[in-house]
Amino acid sequence: MKLAEALSLRADLQRRIAALRERLKKNARVQEGDTPAEDPMELLAELSADTDDLEGLMASINLTNCETFTVWEDSRLSLTELIARRDALGLKISVMRDFLDEAATKVDRYSSKEIRLLSTVPVAELQKQVDALSRELRLLDVELQRMNWSTELR
């Protein structure tokens, strides 16, 4: 199985477990004399089977990510390192975009006596940096996808 297939299967299992959580909550209690719509013990058995499958799959995915290497920016990095880079880069871009949105917002003044608000940073220059980081993030994501579809799960 390819790593990408395992990642898709992991997402399916996670959705299934989330659905089981809701089904269990809906069948946790009933009025005296009623029966639950679904047998909670059967749902709990499904939950155990699915979480066992998820555990094994996650271990295989993590092991594969640690043992699979590629060259990125002239460095030999594991998929785990690339994923960490992608996540950190995405977080940085998100924070910078929020900050730049705030810094670039113009405040309308109704008279010349109102306090004038100015940006504390060069917005255009920093926006170019965010654009460059966004490009790197896209390229990094493409590399991760390529590796996911070409790597066999261990």
Side-chain angles (χ1 to χ4, degrees):
M1 172 188 312
K2 296 291 185 190
L3 181 55
E5 294 170 283
L7 293 169
S8 178
L9 183 56
R10 179 186 68 184
D12 287 344
L13 280 167
Q14 289 170 328
R15 280 189 291 276
R16 235 178 101 70
I17 291 167
L20 280 169
R21 174 193 303 266
E22 293 306 311
R23 289 166 58 198
L24 279 162
K25 284 171 37 177
K26 288 177 183 175
N27 291 284
R29 288 190 273 166
V30 293
Q31 255 184 358
E32 188 175 353
D34 283 349
T35 57
E38 294 182 85
D39 182 355
M41 296 310 289
E42 287 179 18
L43 294 175
L44 288 169
E46 281 184 52
L47 176 65
S48 285
D50 286 350
T51 54
D52 288 349
D53 290 347
L54 183 62
E55 179 183 351
L57 191 58
M58 289 171 70
S60 294
I61 289 168
N62 290 342
L63 181 64
T64 302
N65 285 342
C66 287
E67 294 178 350
T68 303
F69 290 85
T70 188
V71 175
W72 181 258
E73 296 181 343
D74 299 325
S75 297
R76 184 173 182 266
L77 300 174
S78 70
L79 288 183
T80 299
E81 292 168 308
L82 280 183
I83 292 166
R85 173 74 181 149
R86 179 200 60 197
D87 293 350
L89 198 53
L91 179 60
K92 181 177 183 178
I93 290 167
S94 174
V95 171
M96 287 184 73
R97 280 188 179 144
D98 287 349
F99 171 68
L100 290 175
D101 284 347
E102 190 65 33
T105 301
K106 301 247 188 224
V107 177
D108 292 330
R109 295 185 327 160
Y110 298 102
S111 74
S112 60
K113 294 180 181 181
E114 287 187 53
I115 296 173
R116 192 169 156 210
L117 299 177
L118 302 173
S119 177
T120 58
V121 295
V123 173
E125 181 182 317
L126 287 174
Q127 186 58 55
K128 286 180 185 177
Q129 289 178 21
V130 169
D131 292 344
L133 292 173
S134 296
R135 181 178 186 279
E136 181 184 350
L137 181 61
R138 283 189 305 277
L139 293 173
L140 190 101
D141 196 47
V142 167
E143 177 63 13
L144 280 168
Q145 292 299 321
R146 184 187 71 74
M147 293 299 297
N148 288 345
W149 283 107
S150 64
T151 302
E152 287 293 331
L153 189 67
R154 294 186 185 1

